[in-house]
Amino acid sequence: MKFDIVTIFPRMVEAGLTEGVVSRAVAGGVLDVRVHDLRDYTSDRHRSVDDMPYGGGPGMVMKPEPLAKAVDAIRERRGNPSEVVLLSPQGKLFTQAEAVRLSGLEHIVILCGRYEGMDERVRELVATEELSIGDYVLSGGELAALVILDAVSRLVPGVVGDAASVEADSFSRGLLDYPHYTRPAEFAGHKVPEVLLSGHHAEVRRWRKRVALRRTLERRPDLLATATLDEEERELLNELKKSS
Ligand code: JF5
């Protein structure tokens, strides 16, 4: 899968590509990631990427021309992308379902914003969609681009070694994860739940389901509306709702 990331801080994005599963997938050729310096697509002496807002107001706005030129150059050198994603707090929320959708595409361009925002014509003419990674303000889209790259990449076959661990991930199941334990069996007075040491596999599965459901009910009840529950999980959830 191909990714092209356009930014005024290429080293910030590259720094996020030097460790972990994504970096190994890039090294192994499963992912093809290029980072582009937006200033390479400016045409003035100062390599300006921003300018004052029409109508006044605080801060600066990203100019449309360098972003349009950068995407044109990517098209010529790397082929026609499946999507051109603009990252901003105004975008549609990026969820695991969105990560699954994007992981099925061949080539994604990501545009990182900075300053107070982008000229609206970038949305109209350059981007094909606008995504937000959550309801908070970042200083720029670079960290959001790394978040999207990571979440999408781990769904691409061959990026995460163990496919079962991708499948088991919290949001793939639509519920929060159950608690995990490893040795020692007691740490600072806190014991590992007895059932996990018992060797009763059916009991372990049932306990994990119950605790995952209880956590989801307490912390993220919104997830229960869309989660697909099996028979046993529906029963456990009804019991939990009665006792709470
Ligand atoms: C950005 C102008 C983009 O702050 C964000 C963001 C928050 N959630 N998802 C993305 O993007 C950076 C800053 C300023 C445009």
Side-chain angles (χ1 to χ4, degrees):
M1 183 170 183
K2 283 193 283 189
F3 289 91
D4 286 273
I5 302 173
V6 181
T7 168
I8 60 165
F9 292 132
R11 283 174 305 180
M12 184 175 174
V13 177
E14 278 155 8
L17 297 174
T18 60
E19 306 271 3
V21 280
V22 173
S23 89
R24 277 196 294 280
V26 172
V30 180
L31 297 178
D32 174 359
V33 182
R34 301 273 175 95
V35 183
H36 306 267
D37 187 343
L38 183 61
R39 291 194 197 278
D40 291 346
Y41 302 94
T42 55
S43 37
D44 65 313
R45 209 159 58 82
H46 299 102
R47 309 226 293 163
S48 319
V49 293
D50 61 339
D51 203 341
M52 290 161 61
Y54 274 121
M60 298 290 270
V61 175
M62 288 187 85
K63 295 164 61 61
E65 301 98 320
L67 286 156
K69 279 188 182 155
V71 174
D72 282 344
I74 290 166
R75 252 196 200 93
E76 289 200 351
R77 298 209 292 269
R78 304 262 289 160
N80 211 10
S82 321
E83 298 280 6
V84 179
V85 177
L86 173 59
L87 297 176
S88 93
Q90 281 71 48
K92 178 170 129 189
L93 189 65
F94 176 72
T95 59
Q96 189 66 24
E98 285 292 305
V100 169
R101 176 178 67 81
L102 295 180
S103 73
L105 304 179
E106 243 172 64
H107 181 191
I108 296 173
V109 173
I110 303 179
L111 307 178
C112 303
R114 281 265 152 185
Y115 313 109
E116 268 41 69
M118 296 246 188
D119 186 289
E120 190 62 20
R121 282 131 340 149
V122 175
R123 288 183 179 85
E124 295 167 354
L125 301 170
V126 184
T128 60
E129 61 179 309
E130 186 168 6
L131 295 178
S132 162
I133 63 160
D135 293 339
Y136 35 78
V137 180
L138 302 171
S139 312
E142 287 75 14
L143 291 172
L146 288 169
V147 166
I148 289 182
L149 178 64
D150 190 281
V152 172
S153 295
R154 44 186 295 110
L155 300 172
V156 173
V159 171
V160 174
D162 184 0
S165 81
V166 173
E167 192 118 326
D169 276 331
S170 191
F171 283 107
S172 317
R173 297 162 47 251
L175 295 177
L176 300 186
D177 210 353
Y178 54 77
H180 300 263
Y181 295 90
T182 186
R183 289 183 290 181
E186 181 172 343
F187 175 69
H190 287 233
K191 289 182 170 145
V192 173
E194 201 63 47
V195 61
L196 299 179
L197 311 175
S198 70
H200 292 121
H201 301 300
E203 284 296 303
V204 169
R205 255 195 305 277
R206 191 173 164 81
W207 179 86
R208 285 176 170 167
K209 280 182 175 178
R210 185 158 44 75
V211 183
L213 285 163
R214 188 169 63 214
R215 279 185 166 183
T216 309
L217 190 60
E218 282 171 1
R219 302 179 190 178
R220 293 295 307 279
D222 58 300
L223 295 178
L224 292 169
T226 46
T228 39
L229 305 180
D230 62 28
E231 178 72 54
E232 186 179 31
E233 286 167 332
R234 284 197 299 274
E235 263 170 40
L236 286 165
L237 182 59
N238 282 331
E239 286 168 28
L240 287 165
K241 281 180 173 167
K242 273 182 239 160
S243 63
S244 72

mmCIF file of all heavy atoms in Angstrom, residues 62 86-90 112-118 123 131-142 144, ligand 1:
data_model
loop_
_atom_site.group_PDB
_atom_site.id
_atom_site.type_symbol
_atom_site.label_atom_id
_atom_site.label_comp_id
_atom_site.label_asym_id
_atom_site.label_seq_id
_atom_site.Cartn_x
_atom_site.Cartn_y
_atom_site.Cartn_z
ATOM 1 N N MET A 62 -3.196 28.549 5.355
ATOM 2 C CA MET A 62 -2.340 27.862 4.376
ATOM 3 C C MET A 62 -2.792 28.168 2.959
ATOM 4 O O MET A 62 -3.969 28.072 2.641
ATOM 5 C CB MET A 62 -2.333 26.365 4.620
ATOM 6 C CG MET A 62 -1.557 26.022 5.874
ATOM 7 S SD MET A 62 -1.350 24.271 6.082
ATOM 8 C CE MET A 62 0.088 24.000 5.083
ATOM 9 N N LEU A 86 -7.518 15.249 3.880
ATOM 10 C CA LEU A 86 -7.150 16.468 4.601
ATOM 11 C C LEU A 86 -7.437 16.239 6.082
ATOM 12 O O LEU A 86 -8.536 15.819 6.444
ATOM 13 C CB LEU A 86 -7.984 17.631 4.049
ATOM 14 C CG LEU A 86 -7.881 18.974 4.772
ATOM 15 C CD1 LEU A 86 -6.453 19.475 4.770
ATOM 16 C CD2 LEU A 86 -8.796 19.983 4.090
ATOM 17 N N LEU A 87 -6.440 16.483 6.920
ATOM 18 C CA LEU A 87 -6.625 16.290 8.359
ATOM 19 C C LEU A 87 -6.934 17.610 9.020
ATOM 20 O O LEU A 87 -6.195 18.579 8.859
ATOM 21 C CB LEU A 87 -5.352 15.698 8.960
ATOM 22 C CG LEU A 87 -4.991 14.327 8.426
ATOM 23 C CD1 LEU A 87 -3.666 13.866 8.996
ATOM 24 C CD2 LEU A 87 -6.092 13.337 8.758
ATOM 25 N N SER A 88 -8.019 17.635 9.789
ATOM 26 C CA SER A 88 -8.355 18.848 10.536
ATOM 27 C C SER A 88 -9.419 18.520 11.566
ATOM 28 O O SER A 88 -10.100 17.499 11.450
ATOM 29 C CB SER A 88 -8.862 19.947 9.598
ATOM 30 O OG SER A 88 -10.273 19.900 9.497
ATOM 31 N N PRO A 89 -9.579 19.379 12.578
ATOM 32 C CA PRO A 89 -10.635 19.125 13.570
ATOM 33 C C PRO A 89 -12.039 19.215 12.965
ATOM 34 O O PRO A 89 -13.003 18.787 13.595
ATOM 35 C CB PRO A 89 -10.419 20.229 14.613
ATOM 36 C CG PRO A 89 -9.029 20.727 14.398
ATOM 37 C CD PRO A 89 -8.767 20.549 12.935
ATOM 38 N N GLN A 90 -12.174 19.759 11.750
ATOM 39 C CA GLN A 90 -13.494 19.875 11.106
ATOM 40 C C GLN A 90 -13.899 18.612 10.352
ATOM 41 O O GLN A 90 -15.019 18.516 9.830
ATOM 42 C CB GLN A 90 -13.503 21.052 10.110
ATOM 43 C CG GLN A 90 -13.674 22.404 10.753
ATOM 44 C CD GLN A 90 -12.437 22.818 11.534
ATOM 45 O OE1 GLN A 90 -11.317 22.727 11.043
ATOM 46 N NE2 GLN A 90 -12.626 23.241 12.764
ATOM 47 N N CYS A 112 -1.177 17.517 5.679
ATOM 48 C CA CYS A 112 -1.104 17.983 7.065
ATOM 49 C C CYS A 112 -1.269 19.494 7.115
ATOM 50 O O CYS A 112 -0.472 20.217 6.510
ATOM 51 C CB CYS A 112 0.244 17.630 7.678
ATOM 52 S SG CYS A 112 0.628 15.882 7.620
ATOM 53 N N GLY A 113 -2.268 19.944 7.849
ATOM 54 C CA GLY A 113 -2.475 21.385 8.020
ATOM 55 C C GLY A 113 -1.640 21.936 9.162
ATOM 56 O O GLY A 113 -1.145 21.194 10.004
ATOM 57 N N ARG A 114 -1.491 23.238 9.178
ATOM 58 C CA ARG A 114 -0.826 23.982 10.265
ATOM 59 C C ARG A 114 -1.528 25.329 10.362
ATOM 60 O O ARG A 114 -2.441 25.602 9.615
ATOM 61 C CB ARG A 114 0.659 24.214 9.942
ATOM 62 C CG ARG A 114 1.551 23.021 10.188
ATOM 63 C CD ARG A 114 2.205 23.093 11.562
ATOM 64 N NE ARG A 114 2.511 21.761 12.082
ATOM 65 C CZ ARG A 114 2.991 21.543 13.292
ATOM 66 N NH1 ARG A 114 3.223 22.555 14.109
ATOM 67 N NH2 ARG A 114 3.215 20.329 13.701
ATOM 68 N N TYR A 115 -1.072 26.168 11.252
ATOM 69 C CA TYR A 115 -1.622 27.519 11.417
ATOM 70 C C TYR A 115 -3.111 27.457 11.762
ATOM 71 O O TYR A 115 -3.575 26.471 12.317
ATOM 72 C CB TYR A 115 -1.354 28.376 10.176
ATOM 73 C CG TYR A 115 0.060 28.279 9.687
ATOM 74 C CD1 TYR A 115 0.376 27.623 8.510
ATOM 75 C CD2 TYR A 115 1.099 28.802 10.462
ATOM 76 C CE1 TYR A 115 1.690 27.517 8.081
ATOM 77 C CE2 TYR A 115 2.416 28.686 10.039
ATOM 78 C CZ TYR A 115 2.708 28.048 8.854
ATOM 79 O OH TYR A 115 3.995 27.923 8.453
ATOM 80 N N GLU A 116 -3.858 28.488 11.398
ATOM 81 C CA GLU A 116 -5.278 28.536 11.791
ATOM 82 C C GLU A 116 -6.150 27.673 10.899
ATOM 83 O O GLU A 116 -7.287 27.381 11.239
ATOM 84 C CB GLU A 116 -5.786 29.979 11.802
ATOM 85 C CG GLU A 116 -5.650 30.649 13.164
ATOM 86 C CD GLU A 116 -4.344 30.333 13.882
ATOM 87 O OE1 GLU A 116 -3.273 30.786 13.436
ATOM 88 O OE2 GLU A 116 -4.390 29.617 14.899
ATOM 89 N N GLY A 117 -5.612 27.245 9.760
ATOM 90 C CA GLY A 117 -6.408 26.396 8.877
ATOM 91 C C GLY A 117 -5.952 26.482 7.440
ATOM 92 O O GLY A 117 -4.939 27.111 7.141
ATOM 93 N N MET A 118 -6.713 25.825 6.574
ATOM 94 C CA MET A 118 -6.386 25.758 5.145
ATOM 95 C C MET A 118 -7.355 26.631 4.375
ATOM 96 O O MET A 118 -8.525 26.697 4.727
ATOM 97 C CB MET A 118 -6.633 24.336 4.635
ATOM 98 C CG MET A 118 -5.756 23.316 5.261
ATOM 99 S SD MET A 118 -4.701 22.684 3.986
ATOM 100 C CE MET A 118 -3.947 21.339 4.877
ATOM 101 N N ARG A 123 -10.008 22.095 0.264
ATOM 102 C CA ARG A 123 -11.093 21.119 0.466
ATOM 103 C C ARG A 123 -11.865 20.890 -0.821
ATOM 104 O O ARG A 123 -12.213 19.764 -1.159
ATOM 105 C CB ARG A 123 -12.097 21.639 1.498
ATOM 106 C CG ARG A 123 -11.569 21.625 2.883
ATOM 107 C CD ARG A 123 -12.610 22.084 3.900
ATOM 108 N NE ARG A 123 -11.986 21.996 5.205
ATOM 109 C CZ ARG A 123 -11.232 22.959 5.735
ATOM 110 N NH1 ARG A 123 -11.060 24.115 5.118
ATOM 111 N NH2 ARG A 123 -10.658 22.767 6.904
ATOM 112 N N LEU A 131 -10.747 14.330 7.390
ATOM 113 C CA LEU A 131 -10.864 13.484 8.577
ATOM 114 C C LEU A 131 -10.291 14.185 9.794
ATOM 115 O O LEU A 131 -9.336 14.951 9.704
ATOM 116 C CB LEU A 131 -10.111 12.159 8.372
ATOM 117 C CG LEU A 131 -10.626 11.206 7.290
ATOM 118 C CD1 LEU A 131 -9.722 9.983 7.193
ATOM 119 C CD2 LEU A 131 -12.068 10.774 7.580
ATOM 120 N N SER A 132 -10.877 13.870 10.961
ATOM 121 C CA SER A 132 -10.394 14.328 12.267
ATOM 122 C C SER A 132 -10.067 13.101 13.097
ATOM 123 O O SER A 132 -10.784 12.109 13.041
ATOM 124 C CB SER A 132 -11.488 15.130 12.959
ATOM 125 O OG SER A 132 -11.228 15.222 14.352
ATOM 126 N N ILE A 133 -8.986 13.149 13.880
ATOM 127 C CA ILE A 133 -8.693 12.005 14.761
ATOM 128 C C ILE A 133 -9.321 12.186 16.137
ATOM 129 O O ILE A 133 -9.187 11.320 16.996
ATOM 130 C CB ILE A 133 -7.187 11.700 14.888
ATOM 131 C CG1 ILE A 133 -6.426 12.861 15.525
ATOM 132 C CG2 ILE A 133 -6.595 11.337 13.524
ATOM 133 C CD1 ILE A 133 -5.082 12.425 16.111
ATOM 134 N N GLY A 134 -10.011 13.287 16.390
ATOM 135 C CA GLY A 134 -10.671 13.453 17.679
ATOM 136 C C GLY A 134 -10.925 14.914 17.988
ATOM 137 O O GLY A 134 -10.393 15.792 17.326
ATOM 138 N N ASP A 135 -11.726 15.134 19.031
ATOM 139 C CA ASP A 135 -12.153 16.494 19.377
ATOM 140 C C ASP A 135 -11.155 17.200 20.277
ATOM 141 O O ASP A 135 -11.399 17.392 21.471
ATOM 142 C CB ASP A 135 -13.536 16.453 20.048
ATOM 143 C CG ASP A 135 -14.613 16.018 19.085
ATOM 144 O OD1 ASP A 135 -14.394 16.134 17.853
ATOM 145 O OD2 ASP A 135 -15.664 15.552 19.545
ATOM 146 N N TYR A 136 -10.026 17.548 19.694
ATOM 147 C CA TYR A 136 -9.011 18.348 20.374
ATOM 148 C C TYR A 136 -8.228 19.039 19.281
ATOM 149 O O TYR A 136 -8.320 18.661 18.104
ATOM 150 C CB TYR A 136 -8.082 17.484 21.236
ATOM 151 C CG TYR A 136 -7.802 16.138 20.637
ATOM 152 C CD1 TYR A 136 -6.874 16.009 19.603
ATOM 153 C CD2 TYR A 136 -8.498 15.014 21.048
ATOM 154 C CE1 TYR A 136 -6.633 14.783 19.022
ATOM 155 C CE2 TYR A 136 -8.260 13.790 20.461
ATOM 156 C CZ TYR A 136 -7.329 13.673 19.454
ATOM 157 O OH TYR A 136 -7.107 12.461 18.868
ATOM 158 N N VAL A 137 -7.486 20.056 19.659
ATOM 159 C CA VAL A 137 -6.746 20.832 18.654
ATOM 160 C C VAL A 137 -5.266 20.493 18.747
ATOM 161 O O VAL A 137 -4.669 20.551 19.826
ATOM 162 C CB VAL A 137 -6.964 22.342 18.860
ATOM 163 C CG1 VAL A 137 -6.198 23.134 17.803
ATOM 164 C CG2 VAL A 137 -8.448 22.674 18.806
ATOM 165 N N LEU A 138 -4.687 20.119 17.638
ATOM 166 C CA LEU A 138 -3.247 19.888 17.531
ATOM 167 C C LEU A 138 -2.617 21.116 16.892
ATOM 168 O O LEU A 138 -3.301 21.921 16.274
ATOM 169 C CB LEU A 138 -2.983 18.657 16.663
ATOM 170 C CG LEU A 138 -3.617 17.350 17.136
ATOM 171 C CD1 LEU A 138 -3.469 16.273 16.073
ATOM 172 C CD2 LEU A 138 -2.995 16.899 18.441
ATOM 173 N N SER A 139 -1.297 21.228 17.029
ATOM 174 C CA SER A 139 -0.611 22.355 16.392
ATOM 175 C C SER A 139 -0.479 22.139 14.890
ATOM 176 O O SER A 139 -0.198 23.071 14.150
ATOM 177 C CB SER A 139 0.785 22.529 16.983
ATOM 178 O OG SER A 139 0.702 22.497 18.378
ATOM 179 N N GLY A 140 -0.658 20.903 14.452
ATOM 180 C CA GLY A 140 -0.568 20.596 13.031
ATOM 181 C C GLY A 140 -1.020 19.180 12.775
ATOM 182 O O GLY A 140 -1.222 18.407 13.718
ATOM 183 N N GLY A 141 -1.181 18.829 11.514
ATOM 184 C CA GLY A 141 -1.721 17.515 11.162
ATOM 185 C C GLY A 141 -0.709 16.372 11.215
ATOM 186 O O GLY A 141 -1.082 15.211 11.002
ATOM 187 N N GLU A 142 0.572 16.670 11.493
ATOM 188 C CA GLU A 142 1.610 15.634 11.402
ATOM 189 C C GLU A 142 1.359 14.456 12.345
ATOM 190 O O GLU A 142 1.487 13.294 11.948
ATOM 191 C CB GLU A 142 2.994 16.240 11.669
ATOM 192 C CG GLU A 142 3.529 17.113 10.535
ATOM 193 C CD GLU A 142 2.865 18.492 10.450
ATOM 194 O OE1 GLU A 142 2.169 18.901 11.411
ATOM 195 O OE2 GLU A 142 3.046 19.162 9.417
ATOM 196 N N ALA A 144 -1.471 13.600 13.654
ATOM 197 C CA ALA A 144 -2.705 12.949 13.188
ATOM 198 C C ALA A 144 -2.395 12.038 11.996
ATOM 199 O O ALA A 144 -2.945 10.929 11.898
ATOM 200 C CB ALA A 144 -3.750 13.997 12.815
HETATM 201 C C1 JF5 B 1 -4.584 21.038 12.081
HETATM 202 C C2 JF5 B 1 -5.259 23.453 10.984
HETATM 203 C C3 JF5 B 1 -5.192 21.076 10.846
HETATM 204 O O1 JF5 B 1 -5.682 19.635 14.897
HETATM 205 C C4 JF5 B 1 -5.844 18.772 14.067
HETATM 206 C C5 JF5 B 1 -6.718 17.624 14.293
HETATM 207 C C6 JF5 B 1 -7.511 17.421 15.423
HETATM 208 N N1 JF5 B 1 -8.164 16.281 15.229
HETATM 209 N N2 JF5 B 1 -7.822 15.768 14.084
HETATM 210 C C7 JF5 B 1 -6.949 16.542 13.469
HETATM 211 O O2 JF5 B 1 -5.210 18.811 12.845
HETATM 212 C C8 JF5 B 1 -4.181 19.767 12.676
HETATM 213 C C9 JF5 B 1 -4.310 22.201 12.778
HETATM 214 C C10 JF5 B 1 -4.651 23.396 12.232
HETATM 215 C C11 JF5 B 1 -5.551 22.280 10.292
#
